[in-house]
Amino acid sequence: MLHTSSFVKVSFIVVSLVSAVDARSEARRLVLVRDGHPLATIVLGKKPTTSAQLAAFDLQYHLRMMSGATVPIVREGQKTRGALILVGDTDRSGALGYRGEDFAHSEFLVDAAPSRLVLIGRDTGDHEEVDYESDLSVLCRYHALTQAPLGTCHAAHTFLERVLGVRWYLPTEIGEVIPEQRTIAIEPMKLRRAVKAPYRATHPYAVNRNLCYDDYKAVDWQHDEHYDLRSGVLYWIRNKNWGGPRLQVNHSFVNWDRAFGAKHPEWFSTKSWEKMQKLDYQFQTNPCLSQEGLFQANLQIIRDYYDGKPEPFQGAYWSASGAYFGICLNDNGSWCRCAPCVAQYRPEAGDEASLSNYFWTYVNRLGRAITRTHPRAALIGLAYSDYTVPPQDIRFEPNVGVMICRMPYRYWHAAYHRNDYAQIRSFLEDCGAQTLFTWEYLIHPWVDSNPFTPVIPRINARDAKYLTGLAAFRGGYMQLHLDAVMKDGARNGLVWSHPVMDHFRLYFRLKIYDDPSLDVEALLSEYYEKFYGPAARQVLAFVAALEQRWSDPEARAASGAFPHQYGSSNARVWWEHLGTRAFMNRAEALLKAAKRAAPVGSVYAQRVDLLDRGVLQLLRNNRRQFAGSGLANLPPIPELDVPIGAAPRLDGRGDDAVWRHVAWQRIERTNMNAGAPAASRFKAVADRDRLYLLVECTERFTERIVAQMAGRGPAVLADDSIELFVSKEPVGGRYYQLGYNTLGSVFELALDRTGKSGDTASWRGDTSARVALHANERWVAEIAIPWQPFSGGPVKEGEIWRLNVCRNRRAGSDKVEFTNWSVCGGGFHNPQRFGRIRFVAAQR
Ligand SMILES: [Zn+2]
């Protein structure tokens, strides 16, 4: 699958560079520099745009780095020498018929003739002076405040990249590849095109100057000297990540509590302003989309936005920019429980689909209503949380598009990959969405969860190729890990933390978003050749080993992992199955070989060293963190005999005689194998039809117990709750997740692990709980689990099942405490770690 030895010839240089000047063809070539002497002048208009000024400076810089020659920059009307390089709007380029305003957004032109070169595209009318040696914050203002096209920069950077062979693989000078060339002469050519994906957004602007953090022992990684705005600005502009229209799509009900909570508590899931004020609005409350008043208020806000009126309250336009108004619910699972809302939920569809019809019906209705008064208004709904999966039987209005929140790093799972693409197709074909945006989570798995780092350039390049092949694709947002840097104890800006680790996922996306005709294999090959020179093959072997390992089906299968697991829940997958000692030794040997191949003191050696510091040492550090944690030494999987006998009377009191004959099982460890802050315990008995659990959770702060969810649904788990996991031996197939809060509300889910939407499939467990609260002491639940929905019949003596009893405690502190009977070593969704229960005859 991975090509480790074949280098594909780079095919996308439009005009090859001429090294020796051939006298016969000299006349038809444009000579910019000969033998280190400038033979051209860079000409800007009398009042050049900010974009054109930066383009001129950056062109001058690269020509000097290539040849040693400083090609002068003049304003039109000043004296010139030799060939003319016309950058942005000038009278001369105007006379040739080229005017920036005639270009579309992100469109540009490179036109080379023997006596002149034209580099032009659409810029804005911003003319602020650019100081090239400064931090270039002038370009940040330009980028952030206006929807600033950078067409002239795109022209200059395309010329440098395609014609002169320059690359910008990483920010700062070490990331620049600039071929040395004493003479720069080019063939006539003409290239006019636009960047393919119109919307390209990343955050933040500045980069970590060191390109990776390797001070692992530091309490925090955030130092002011890491902050490098100039290198960030240049990296984003050179790689055409900036220059598209502004895009801002996010949780769209921001501050609606302050605007409407007191007057219209019925618009929110709490139905009470008093309750709402006690909660974190964004993370614990949601709007009630069944309220007509809320719909009309939302419609009015959108109308105001398109009418150009000022924001009616702060945050009302938080999810809007330019042509688009985005719609997305609050960032939590506490959905409204009113009857009209609940009637629209489809829990049987699975946890990423249960609200799809509810949410998309609302967005579609907004789309239909706004188009009557504002035919140019366009909405983007975010496919996120419980409305990620395309809705059933809904045809989108022509002005409703979708932004899908995506995790291609999970594509090691073939079924997940197929399912993900099937969902995209369904949004486009079944729902008829005419615009598709993506929110790419390039931050997962979180770097601070000490992961096996996903160095997966090919997965990302191929995925970008797929997306850009879809006619509806408009680009989107790429979320990178960022850190706040501190100065004198105060926050002093944000930096992109780990470019070395992230560029494998980001860079190739940027290239293909710009030009989807690029060949993925050629892009990858030239990356190794150009960036690592004599160490290209060795670095390729190192990167390929990491990418192969990330996707290794055998290691993944052995670990029992499935795509839903990410973050800290994967620690054991990462370090016991992927980053094993044997694999780490191999990776180290491969990098050592790369170090040997890169000449001492060369820029190639410095880049290999960056891979050492930013990737290999990070892997080693993360593995060490794991080995030193309780996760590497989990207690044995507990086993329990469950007697089949009489059923206890269930009233939440737990004092039935049946319970007296069985012993308590203690829940005393967290999911990460630390001591539990609050103890819990349980007993289990069965009759032929049901399993019964008595679970007791000690709780000193019963008045702080979170109990929001009064009905069925996943929000039960966002309360103080007991979570059960049940599966039949052997593990590897279907398993069940059950949840109960202190109100006795139930959550039930069947998971078959075949992919993103493999959950539930209209399964219902018919389980129930009776709960009793003992003030500032404990809460007790008696739970009945009928066998019929799980196994289709009564349980038999000798049968072995898998069970885990877990607790989500919120009453203790701001941080949720996860404890479990069998220690999972991460997320609870770890069937291999479920405890074993064996059914035996009751002894009387
Ligand atoms: Zn409601």
Side-chain angles (χ1 to χ4, degrees):
M1 181 183 128
L2 295 163
H3 305 264
T4 50
S5 57
S6 67
F7 281 101
V8 180
K9 182 129 183 64
V10 179
S11 57
F12 73 66
I13 293 187
V14 181
V15 180
S16 59
L17 202 64
V18 187
S19 53
V21 178
D22 178 334
R24 281 171 302 171
S25 54
E26 166 88 344
R28 53 184 296 272
R29 281 188 183 132
L30 169 63
V31 184
L32 303 179
V33 176
R34 181 181 291 138
D35 296 330
H37 298 288
L39 290 186
T41 304
I42 298 170
V43 181
L44 286 165
K46 288 196 182 74
K47 203 183 161 201
T49 60
T50 308
S51 164
Q53 292 175 62
L54 182 69
F57 281 128
D58 224 19
L59 189 64
Q60 183 186 51
Y61 165 77
H62 285 91
L63 292 176
R64 184 170 62 239
M65 296 303 283
M66 287 183 87
S67 67
T70 300
V71 178
I73 300 174
V74 302
R75 299 284 164 103
E76 202 162 37
Q78 295 176 323
K79 196 163 166 275
T80 63
R81 219 165 61 89
L84 301 182
I85 306 175
L86 305 171
V87 178
D89 272 312
T90 59
D91 292 344
R92 275 200 171 83
S93 50
L96 293 167
Y98 299 135
R99 292 186 315 165
E101 64 186 36
D102 295 337
F103 286 76
H105 207 124
S106 298
E107 193 193 17
F108 57 89
L109 167 92
V110 179
D111 181 355
S115 62
R116 50 81 182 156
L117 170 65
V118 180
L119 302 171
I120 192 170
R122 174 181 280 270
D123 298 333
T124 52
D126 192 302
H127 304 279
E128 207 172 330
E129 285 291 318
V130 174
D131 174 1
Y132 188 62
E133 303 306 323
S134 74
D135 66 1
L136 297 178
S137 54
V138 55
L139 269 302
C140 297
R141 289 197 294 278
Y142 181 76
H143 174 70
L145 299 179
T146 64
Q147 289 157 27
L150 289 161
T152 302
C153 280
H154 295 343
H157 293 124
T158 300
F159 173 73
L160 288 167
E161 198 172 31
R162 299 297 180 89
V163 182
L164 301 188
V166 172
R167 298 288 184 276
W168 306 279
Y169 289 120
L170 279 170
T172 75
E173 279 176 30
I174 198 175
E176 299 168 0
V177 172
I178 307 177
E180 281 182 33
Q181 202 71 52
R182 296 282 291 167
T183 292
I184 302 171
I186 57 170
E187 300 283 347
M189 62 162 293
K190 194 163 163 181
L191 173 70
R192 180 170 182 159
R193 67 172 183 87
V195 181
K196 169 71 179 176
Y199 291 85
R200 312 172 296 277
T202 47
H203 194 71
Y205 299 163
V207 299
N208 165 16
R209 189 190 308 280
N210 294 351
L211 303 179
C212 60
Y213 284 113
D214 50 8
D215 184 9
Y216 303 116
K217 293 207 177 85
V219 178
D220 66 63
W221 285 349
Q222 305 146 0
H223 308 293
D224 188 56
E225 66 268 23
H226 289 145
Y227 186 83
D228 184 349
L229 182 59
R230 183 176 190 275
S231 296
V233 169
L234 289 174
Y235 188 74
W236 301 128
I237 293 180
R238 288 166 174 174
N239 285 313
K240 304 197 191 95
N241 187 48
W242 285 10
R246 191 161 161 261
L247 185 65
Q248 167 77 15
V249 183
N250 215 300
H251 299 285
S252 58
F253 293 91
V254 161
N255 290 354
W256 275 54
D257 56 336
R258 279 179 237 165
F260 304 113
K263 209 169 164 201
H264 293 290
E266 74 279 10
W267 290 4
F268 301 91
S269 53
T270 53
K271 305 291 174 193
S272 149
W273 174 231
E274 205 193 335
K275 261 194 208 165
M276 188 156 48
Q277 284 171 291
K278 287 189 194 137
L279 298 171
D280 184 328
Y281 170 70
Q282 181 59 234
F283 297 106
Q284 291 180 300
T285 304
N286 254 299
C288 168
L289 299 187
S290 302
Q291 290 287 328
E292 184 60 22
L294 173 127
F295 175 84
Q296 293 300 337
N298 205 352
L299 186 60
Q300 190 55 50
I301 288 169
I302 299 171
R303 283 186 180 136
D304 289 350
Y305 173 75
Y306 285 105
D307 285 340
K309 289 189 185 163
E311 222 174 21
F313 58 90
Q314 200 198 345
Y317 299 163
W318 164 246
S319 183
S321 60
Y324 294 100
F325 202 106
I327 308 291
C328 180
L329 297 173
N330 285 0
D331 205 359
N332 67 76
S334 298
W335 311 123
C336 181
R337 298 307 307 171
C338 80
C341 282
V342 171
Q344 295 178 67
Y345 302 159
R346 297 169 60 244
E348 72 281 5
D351 65 349
E352 289 184 336
S354 57
L355 264 71
S356 288
N357 277 47
Y358 171 74
F359 173 76
W360 289 102
T361 299
Y362 178 83
V363 176
N364 221 26
R365 198 182 151 214
L366 276 177
R368 198 156 47 239
I370 189 72
T371 208
R372 288 190 202 116
T373 49
H374 297 73
R376 295 165 70 94
L379 306 183
I380 302 174
L382 264 99
Y384 179 71
S385 184
D386 289 354
Y387 39 99
T388 300
V389 174
Q392 300 282 304
D393 306 317
I394 293 183
R395 209 55 204 171
F396 287 2
E397 297 295 321
N399 64 346
V400 171
V402 57
M403 174 180 273
I404 303 178
C405 301
R406 305 180 72 242
M407 309 192 187
Y409 68 92
R410 294 173 172 178
Y411 283 0
W412 54 264
H413 195 284
Y416 178 93
H417 192 174
R418 276 195 304 275
N419 187 59
D420 218 37
Y421 283 2
Q423 288 185 6
I424 292 174
R425 280 197 304 277
S426 179
F427 268 117
L428 301 180
E429 293 164 16
D430 304 334
C431 305
Q434 289 172 30
T435 49
L436 166 70
F437 298 81
T438 64
W439 182 306
E440 302 292 344
Y441 286 117
L442 304 189
I443 47 164
H444 288 313
W446 303 104
V447 67
D448 31 16
S449 64
N450 297 325
F452 182 89
T453 51
V455 175
I456 44 177
R458 182 174 271 107
I459 288 174
N460 279 279
R462 287 185 174 167
D463 181 57
K465 193 90 173 171
Y466 169 78
L467 291 175
T468 51
L470 301 168
F473 183 63
R474 297 283 180 277
Y477 191 79
M478 291 189 256
Q479 191 179 3
L480 298 163
H481 191 88
L482 50 86
D483 275 302
V485 295
M486 310 293 282
K487 189 178 189 178
D488 305 327
R491 199 169 121 157
N492 192 40
L494 296 165
V495 297
W496 174 22
S497 317
H498 279 268
V500 170
M501 192 174 84
D502 293 345
H503 84 290
F504 289 107
R505 290 185 280 184
L506 174 74
Y507 176 80
F508 303 100
R509 279 190 182 275
L510 292 178
K511 291 300 110 177
I512 290 169
Y513 282 15
D514 173 17
D515 183 358
S517 73
L518 296 180
D519 180 77
V520 166
E521 296 308 317
L523 260 183
L524 291 168
S525 298
E526 67 151 36
Y527 164 75
Y528 298 108
E529 285 184 284
K530 280 178 168 279
F531 207 41
Y532 303 101
R537 278 171 195 282
Q538 290 77 5
V539 171
L540 168 60
F542 173 72
V543 172
L546 286 168
E547 183 156 27
Q548 220 155 28
R549 191 65 171 177
W550 180 263
S551 307
D552 186 336
E554 277 175 37
R556 290 285 184 176
S559 75
F562 56 103
H564 284 74
Q565 291 184 322
Y566 74 95
S568 57
S569 66
N570 261 344
R572 290 166 60 84
V573 177
W574 292 329
W575 302 114
E576 290 183 355
H577 297 277
L578 301 182
T580 57
R581 196 176 296 278
F583 176 79
M584 293 298 290
N585 288 342
R586 196 175 143 229
E588 269 172 51
L590 289 169
L591 198 76
K592 244 184 212 150
K595 283 192 167 180
R596 276 196 303 273
V600 176
S602 69
V603 69
Y604 306 115
Q606 290 176 42
R607 290 170 186 156
V608 172
D609 188 53
L610 266 182
L611 290 182
D612 189 1
R613 288 192 284 130
V615 178
L616 186 64
Q617 296 310 319
L618 184 64
L619 281 165
R620 287 179 50 142
N621 171 71
N622 292 354
R623 187 169 204 285
R624 253 196 320 272
Q625 297 281 337
F626 171 76
S629 74
L631 294 179
N633 298 292
L634 297 188
I637 290 172
E639 300 186 351
L640 172 65
D641 283 352
V642 176
I644 302 178
R649 184 169 39 86
L650 301 187
D651 50 15
R653 292 155 62 120
D655 56 1
D656 192 277
V658 169
W659 294 122
R660 271 185 240 141
H661 301 288
V662 287
W664 287 108
Q665 302 298 310
R666 294 193 298 190
I667 299 171
E668 53 194 4
R669 306 297 289 173
T670 70
N671 62 323
M672 305 302 272
N673 198 23
S680 315
R681 55 185 188 168
F682 76 95
K683 291 179 176 187
V685 296
D687 62 12
R688 288 193 47 85
D689 299 322
R690 289 179 186 79
L691 172 69
Y692 304 96
L693 295 176
L694 168 64
V695 188
E696 191 182 277
C697 304
T698 53
E699 184 52 77
R700 287 169 54 213
F701 310 111
T702 44
E703 80 284 0
R704 300 210 307 236
I705 281 177
V706 180
Q708 293 278 320
M709 183 61 174
R712 289 175 66 90
V716 165
L717 305 179
D719 288 339
D720 274 90
S721 51
I722 292 161
E723 221 175 314
L724 305 178
F725 290 85
V726 181
S727 79
K728 212 170 180 175
E729 189 84 318
V731 292
R734 180 175 256 227
Y735 70 94
Y736 305 90
Q737 179 187 14
L738 310 169
Y740 310 90
N741 67 7
T742 56
L743 306 175
S745 303
V746 179
F747 168 60
E748 295 172 338
L749 182 69
L751 297 101
D752 64 12
R753 318 199 330 183
T754 52
K756 200 172 178 179
S757 68
D759 300 352
T760 305
S762 68
W763 181 81
R764 227 184 133 100
D766 293 325
T767 70
S768 59
R770 297 293 297 271
V771 181
L773 217 62
H774 305 267
N776 295 333
E777 201 176 286
R778 64 187 190 276
W779 62 281
V780 178
E782 285 183 305
I783 300 166
I785 301 170
W787 288 119
Q788 185 67 30
F790 293 83
S791 64
V795 69
K796 295 180 198 69
E797 282 168 28
E799 264 183 41
I800 295 177
W801 281 66
R802 303 294 289 261
L803 169 74
N804 208 1
V805 183
C806 312
R807 176 180 175 189
N808 305 306
R809 180 175 183 239
R810 286 165 204 277
S813 66
D814 290 345
K815 225 174 154 204
V816 193
E817 293 158 15
F818 303 106
T819 51
N820 39 212
W821 175 46
S822 179
V823 180
C824 290
F828 292 151
H829 288 267
N830 188 353
Q832 304 214 330
R833 289 291 309 176
F834 296 168
R836 271 191 197 86
I837 54 172
R838 189 173 56 144
F839 293 95
V840 297
Q843 292 176 352
R844 287 283 147 176

